[in-house]
Amino acid sequence: MGAGKWVVVVGGGDPYEVGLATYNAVPDVSMLTGDVFDDEGNQPDSVTITISDFPDYYDIPFVIPTSQMVNLVLTWNLRFDDPFDPDSIAIAATQPLVDYINSLAVSEPMSIYQIGSVFLASISKLVEPSQVSLIETNIWIDGVIAEPAPESGLIYGNKYKYFTTDQSYVMVKQYGS
């Protein structure tokens, strides 16, 4: 993307309505570009809609984000050895973790700290969160292990894609099981 250029990233909706809304919202549509590349050098899907404002025509480019599949394995443990049904923890935590991942906007990173917070909140009716002695997360994006950025707890994906997952891609298990 050149200096002074803007990229509009829009998922969903009628392309012509998106183009018209963009035309009405952006003061100088000549500054828009769909000619961009992600961090791996790939060009994302883009659309250009032509808007007629007689006697002129304006090309409105925008990028259509695509999904990247997230697999999450969250391993947990408790400080005490009382008999406890680990399946109840998995049932309570899985959907909130799916909801967190699916709620992230295009190019927004996942936070391993937020994943831990979501997990603790989701099990708080079953076990006191202060009794949790381990939360370890392993994340794969499109089948490739993903590590947090250096000196952070943030896992970034492709800047023109969004994260998606479902219950079949999220495993919540007790340490040692």
Side-chain angles (χ1 to χ4, degrees), residues 1-7 26-33 61:
M1 177 170 53
K5 292 287 186 178
W6 288 81
V7 178
V26 176
D28 183 1
V29 294
S30 70
M31 301 304 291
L32 299 177
T33 185

Side-chain angles (χ1 to χ4, degrees), residues 9 38 40 42 44 65-68 104-108 142 157-163:
V9 181
D38 64 20
E40 290 84 38
N42 301 312
T66 54
S67 66
Q68 46 194 342
L104 297 170
V106 173
S107 81
E108 185 177 355
D142 289 337
N158 186 304
K159 65 183 170 184
Y160 297 111
K161 293 185 177 185
Y162 58 91
F163 296 123

Side-chain angles (χ1 to χ4, degrees), residues 57-120:
Y57 292 90
Y58 299 94
D59 287 334
I60 311 295
F62 57 93
V63 171
I64 301 172
T66 54
S67 66
Q68 46 194 342
M69 182 55 71
V70 174
N71 292 68
L72 167 65
V73 176
L74 187 144
T75 306
W76 59 273
N77 210 3
L78 301 175
R79 293 184 351 180
F80 55 86
D81 290 332
D82 288 347
F84 192 83
D85 179 20
D87 290 341
S88 61
I89 296 285
I91 290 167
T94 301
Q95 190 59 51
L97 292 167
V98 167
D99 293 344
Y100 165 69
I101 291 167
N102 288 339
S103 73
L104 297 170
V106 173
S107 81
E108 185 177 355
M110 274 182 281
S111 167
I112 61 170
Y113 305 116
Q114 185 63 29
I115 289 170
S117 293
V118 168
F119 172 74
L120 291 173

Side-chain angles (χ1 to χ4, degrees), residues 10 20 22 29 58 69 104 127 167 170:
V10 180
L20 183 59
T22 302
V29 294
Y58 299 94
M69 182 55 71
L104 297 170
V127 65
Q167 288 191 0
V170 174

Side-chain angles (χ1 to χ4, degrees), residues 78 80 84 120 123-133:
L78 301 175
F80 55 86
F84 192 83
L120 291 173
I123 67 165
S124 65
K125 292 182 179 172
L126 301 173
V127 65
E128 177 62 38
S130 65
Q131 297 302 312
V132 175
S133 62

